[in-house]
Amino acid sequence: MINVYWTRAIAPGSGERHFISPLRFAEPVFLNKDIDYKEFLGPALLHCPGIVEEMTKTVVIKSPVTVDLQYTDEQNLKVHRQDPEFGKIFFGDPQGKNGIHQLGFGYIFFADKPLMATNLPAYYHDNGYTKNVNAICGSYDIGRWFRPGVRPLFQLKPGAKNININEGDALMYVKFNTDEKVNFVEFLCFSNNFVAVSYTHLTLPTSDLV
């Protein structure tokens, strides 16, 4: 068994007006618990170990807010169903040639021994986010690095004009690449400085935490 510890990570600098209450951050749930996988897969695939086993090692990350982003052109983005300033902070400035966004909320996962975690698209979920974006994926060792790596990262799909997010929508998955059983443990972080350090030192080794 391998222990994976998790906490909510609110981006520093958001300010009180645009603060997202931690109470709105849903506890990450394993995929086989989040969807009715027996009905979803059907009798033919239900006993496929490759599919079912992966579901037991993959957690679902959901949106804590309701917000829409409208692309009027490459330079002008409009926010709906939220304060425009909040939307700007939540979606962040587009980066790179294709306008990649990283959402302004996330989680910190770390393990008590080496464990590669992979951020994945929410491919079992169909909503106004997953339909309109191409997720950017990545992997890192959560047994070695303490960082807010669990943050949705995306670019708009060609031809799409709107991203519609409802509170509770699945935005991404995180897969733990291990053959061991994963014991998921929440830890409470009462210090904003603790989270801020993880944002400003994105390559902080877990050995520096003890």
Side-chain angles (χ1 to χ4, degrees):
M1 179 181 292
I2 185 166
N3 292 318
V4 173
Y5 302 91
W6 70 274
T7 193
R8 300 158 177 87
I10 301 169
S14 299
E16 289 186 8
R17 182 181 175 190
H18 305 118
F19 177 75
I20 304 174
S21 169
L23 297 177
R24 303 186 80 95
F25 284 58
E27 178 177 348
V29 178
F30 283 96
L31 185 54
N32 65 314
K33 302 293 185 182
D34 187 69
I35 65 173
D36 185 344
Y37 74 97
K38 294 180 180 179
E39 179 180 0
F40 187 95
L41 295 176
L45 295 175
L46 179 59
H47 301 291
C48 173
I51 296 176
V52 176
E53 178 68 15
E54 180 168 291
M55 288 184 170
T56 67
K57 302 293 173 61
T58 302
V59 294
V60 182
I61 303 299
K62 298 183 178 182
S63 175
V65 298
T66 293
V67 61
D68 299 333
L69 184 64
Q70 178 186 8
Y71 288 71
T72 55
D73 57 48
E74 292 183 358
Q75 302 298 323
N76 296 303
L77 307 178
K78 291 185 177 181
V79 173
H80 302 282
R81 297 199 289 173
Q82 284 288 351
D83 177 83
E85 286 301 313
F86 171 84
K88 182 178 180 180
I89 293 171
F90 185 75
F91 285 104
D93 294 326
Q95 304 293 319
K97 177 182 177 181
N98 298 314
I100 296 174
H101 292 265
Q102 187 166 39
L103 298 186
F105 84 100
Y107 296 79
I108 296 174
F109 292 168
F110 70 95
D112 53 9
K113 55 185 173 181
L115 174 62
M116 292 298 295
T118 301
N119 294 347
L120 295 169
Y123 39 75
Y124 284 105
H125 288 80
D126 185 34
N127 56 52
Y129 176 85
T130 59
K131 288 179 180 177
N132 294 301
V133 308
N134 289 320
I136 308 299
C137 304
S139 300
Y140 69 104
D141 188 346
I142 62 173
R144 185 181 180 192
W145 303 112
F146 185 85
R147 56 183 296 182
V150 184
R151 295 178 63 194
L153 189 66
F154 71 90
Q155 63 184 25
L156 192 71
K157 285 184 177 180
K161 295 295 183 182
N162 297 281
I163 298 173
N164 310 109
I165 299 174
N166 291 313
E167 184 174 349
D169 280 350
L171 303 181
M172 63 178 287
Y173 300 153
V174 180
K175 180 186 176 184
F176 304 115
N177 300 287
T178 178
D179 293 330
E180 297 184 53
K181 182 178 179 180
V182 175
N183 181 37
F184 213 42
V185 183
E186 180 180 8
F187 75 94
L188 299 178
C189 180
F190 296 104
S191 171
N192 290 332
N193 291 334
F194 186 69
V195 174
V197 166
S198 72
Y199 274 95
T200 56
H201 297 78
L202 294 180
T203 55
L204 182 67
T206 54
S207 59
D208 288 356
L209 301 176
V210 296

